[in-house]
């Protein structure tokens, strides 16, 4: 029986308050309005950014909300005026929209899109500035324009990437955030050249994807830095050629790296969200040209600092969101690359669980062995 035009009641994990366990609730999901798409979510992974907002440290965090932004599913119904997807299409919801019409999209200089960002940051849909989620009439905020910890979600049409229907959704859900972020930080933001020396701070999913991207770009050395020595063995499979544990050294880690590389690395990537490490990542770069890319998300109130002399003498400090990928245009391309075995995805999935086990899944995520935990969303 078609559910088009009907309110759907389904299960979702609701964050009622910061840091309190998520609660599986029966949630009412309203039909999509003009320019909106309702998606049946089949699989979602957990990302550290979900945990960050849940912790209460995200200045944009609103409660109660439905978190989640790394997922894949099938279009259930579309609102008026939606032309690029239809019911039955396999899709990845994209927290970074791409409208192709706004000043940002037309600039050719960024993957950021301005069309719906104001609404997604306020936890509502652009049309009427209201939520499509409610529990017995009480509105529940959206998150990052995706809210994939729900069996059904409503997103803006500019936030939907249509993908190859043959692609396994329990794997390609990862292409909604962490893996593209690392690959794109190397390919789009830094534009690493063959022969470069690269330093990757933090060997979680994002850092490993940076290493994978650097290897593919022809880097001569990929130095992985992590305080957890358990990370090193696995990282070799993703392209890391050398390991440094800051705990093994008395000197500041930037000095250790400068000494190891005859003056500094060509490119560094901070994939942790720690502002002291961001400084070290900049200062381990080679004088005259070294570029450091901030990928990690630091909490509200945190600030970066360095001596301006570091920049005067030619080092460059950059940041990246979703690895600079244009979501609707390039996520399908990434799925195709995965299908052709040109990029890894399966290797990042270390745990598979269900929506009902989501609190336990977050505990695994914070444990050292987990890269990505994928939740099966439907019963
Ligand atoms: N800019 C963007 O578009 C995106 C940013 N992120 C952010 O990227 C960051 C990394 O994400 P994941 O890889 O999933 O996290 P993760 O927690 O799996 O990996 C972080 C790694 O850093 C290591 N680490 C922690 N403190 C360290 C220190 N002081 N020195 C060296 N290593 C240290 C940990 O042992 C861990 O291996 C998070 O902050 C996340 O929010 C995630 C996705 C997109
Ligand atoms: N609301 C947060 C923003 C955190 C942030 O920087 N998010 C990244 C994506 S992290 C994904 O896992 C991003 O792409 N930012 C660009 C954007 O438009 O949000 C805060 O204020 O700290
Ligand atoms: Zn993420
Ligand atoms: Zn746009």
């Amino acid at each position: 029986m078609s559910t088009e035009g009907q309110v759907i009641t389904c299960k979702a994990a609701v964050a009622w308050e910061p840091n309190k366990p998520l609660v599986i609730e029966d949630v009412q999901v309203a039909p999509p309005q003009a320019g909106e798409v309702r998606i049946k979510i089949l699989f979602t992974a957990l990302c550290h950014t979900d945990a960050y907002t849940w912790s209460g440290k995200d200045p944009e965090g609103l409660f109660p909300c439905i978190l989640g932004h790394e997922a894949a599913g099938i279009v259930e119904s579309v609102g008026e005026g939606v032309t690029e997807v239809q019911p039955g299409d396999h899709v990845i919801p994209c927290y970074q929209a791409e409208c192709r019409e706004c000043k940002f999209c037309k600039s050719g200089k960024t993957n950021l899109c301005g069309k719906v960002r104001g609404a997604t940051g306020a936890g509502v849909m652009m049309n009427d500035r209201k939520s499509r989620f409610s529990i017995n009439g009480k509105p529940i905020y959206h998150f990052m324009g995706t809210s994939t910890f729900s069996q059904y979600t409503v997103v803006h049409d500019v936030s939907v990437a249509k993908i190859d229907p043959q692609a396994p959704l329990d794997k390609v859900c990862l292409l909604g955030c962490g893996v593209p972020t690392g690959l794109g930080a190397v390919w789009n933001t830094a534009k690493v050249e063959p022969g470069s020396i690269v330093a990757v701070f933090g060997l979680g999913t994002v850092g490993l994807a940076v290493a994978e991207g650097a290897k593919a770009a022809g880097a001569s050395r990929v130095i992985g830095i992590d305080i957890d020595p358990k990370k090193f063995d696995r990282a070799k499979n993703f392209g890391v050629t050398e390991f440094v544990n800051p705990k093994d050294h008395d000197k500041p880690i930037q000095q250790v790296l400068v000494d190891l590389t005859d003056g500094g690395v060509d490119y560094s990537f901070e994939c942790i969200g720690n502002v002291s490490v961001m400084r070290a990542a900049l200062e381990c770069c080679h004088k005259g040209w070294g570029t450091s890319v901030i990928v990690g998300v630091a909490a509200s109130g945190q600030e970066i600092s360095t001596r301006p002399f570091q920049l005067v003498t030619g080092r460059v400090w950059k940041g990246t969101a979703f690895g600079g990928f244009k979501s609707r245009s390039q996520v399908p391309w990434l799925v195709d690359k995965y299908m052709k075995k040109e990029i890894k995805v399966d290797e990042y999935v270390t745990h598979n669980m269900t929506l009902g086990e989501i609190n336990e899944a977050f505990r695994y995520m914070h444990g050292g062995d987990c890269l990505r935990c994928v939740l099966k969303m439907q019963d």
Side-chain angles (χ1 to χ4, degrees):
M1 199 187 74
S2 168
T3 44
E4 189 181 341
Q6 313 285 311
V7 172
I8 293 177
T9 297
C10 67
K11 300 286 182 201
V14 177
W16 286 103
E17 289 177 68
N19 268 324
K20 295 279 162 61
L22 303 180
V23 183
I24 305 298
E25 303 276 9
D26 285 320
V27 172
Q28 283 78 51
V29 185
Q33 295 187 7
E36 297 174 3
V37 179
R38 190 160 61 182
I39 302 170
K40 180 178 187 176
I41 299 291
L42 271 69
F43 295 95
T44 186
L46 316 180
C47 172
H48 283 83
T49 307
D50 299 311
Y52 157 65
T53 301
W54 185 16
S55 76
K57 293 181 185 153
D58 178 355
E60 288 187 308
L62 297 161
F63 296 87
C65 71
I66 298 174
L67 299 164
H69 63 282
E70 196 172 289
I74 298 177
V75 174
E76 176 270 338
S77 62
V78 301
E80 193 190 316
V82 174
T83 53
E84 294 199 21
V85 291
Q86 58 184 21
D89 284 346
H90 289 210
V91 294
I92 291 181
C94 299
Y95 76 81
Q96 192 56 251
E98 182 192 352
C99 76
R100 302 178 179 140
E101 288 164 0
C102 75
K103 184 177 178 181
F104 291 89
C105 285
K106 289 205 290 203
S107 72
K109 296 179 179 183
T110 179
N111 66 328
L112 301 179
C113 169
K115 182 164 180 186
V116 299
R117 185 63 182 83
T120 60
V124 295
M125 299 303 289
M126 194 179 68
N127 240 4
D128 57 358
R129 305 288 297 184
K130 288 190 175 146
S131 175
R132 303 288 168 264
F133 297 112
S134 59
I135 296 179
N136 301 324
K138 179 180 171 58
I140 309 292
Y141 286 112
H142 294 246
F143 169 68
M144 286 176 83
T146 50
S147 288
T148 61
F149 295 165
S150 176
Q151 291 178 319
Y152 286 84
T153 190
V154 177
V155 305
H156 299 99
D157 59 353
V158 292
S159 308
V160 183
K162 179 175 163 180
I163 60 163
D164 178 355
Q166 302 299 322
L169 299 181
D170 60 334
K171 302 293 190 301
V172 296
C173 57
L174 266 55
L175 296 176
C177 183
V179 173
T181 298
L183 296 175
V186 176
W187 297 343
N188 305 320
T189 310
K191 299 189 170 68
V192 168
E193 310 94 358
S196 303
I197 302 178
V198 170
V200 189
F201 289 80
L203 299 175
T205 296
V206 175
L208 294 178
V210 163
E212 187 189 351
K215 183 183 176 188
S220 60
R221 296 171 68 184
V222 181
I223 306 171
I225 300 108
D226 205 297
I227 49 171
D228 179 354
K230 286 198 303 297
K231 304 283 173 164
F232 294 165
D233 241 8
R234 176 161 59 193
K236 288 181 196 154
N237 302 329
F238 292 83
V240 175
T241 58
E242 297 157 60
F243 305 101
V244 180
N245 185 341
K247 290 180 174 171
D248 293 341
H249 299 270
D250 297 328
K251 282 187 288 187
I253 188 66
Q254 49 269 57
Q255 193 56 52
V256 173
L257 289 159
V258 166
D259 293 347
L260 264 178
T261 55
D262 187 26
V265 304
D266 299 308
Y267 296 97
S268 72
F269 298 85
E270 199 280 354
C271 307
I272 302 163
N274 177 320
V275 292
S276 310
V277 180
M278 290 173 190
R279 178 175 193 154
L282 176 79
E283 295 179 357
C284 77
C285 284
H286 203 288
K287 183 175 177 179
W289 62 77
T291 295
S292 186
V293 181
I294 292 176
V295 191
V297 171
S300 170
Q302 299 282 298
E303 293 183 348
I304 49 170
S305 61
T306 190
R307 278 191 70 205
F309 184 65
Q310 293 283 332
L311 306 185
V312 167
T313 48
R315 294 169 196 82
V316 177
W317 221 345
K318 288 184 165 187
T320 193
F322 197 50
F325 280 118
K326 288 205 174 246
S327 59
R328 278 203 295 158
S329 304
Q330 292 186 286
V331 167
W333 174 79
L334 285 164
V335 169
D336 293 344
K337 275 181 92 61
Y338 162 70
M339 295 298 277
K340 288 189 267 179
K341 301 194 189 317
E342 291 173 5
I343 58 169
K344 296 186 198 304
V345 174
D346 301 10
E347 291 81 351
Y348 295 92
V349 180
T350 52
H351 295 70
N352 289 278
M353 299 179 83
T354 62
L355 173 61
E357 298 170 312
I358 191 165
N359 288 300
E360 202 185 344
F362 270 106
R363 285 194 286 277
Y364 279 119
M365 190 188 82
H366 291 301
D369 292 335
C370 183
L371 290 176
R372 281 301 193 252
C373 177
V374 174
L375 302 183
K376 182 172 180 288
M377 294 297 288
Q378 305 292 326
D379 302 324

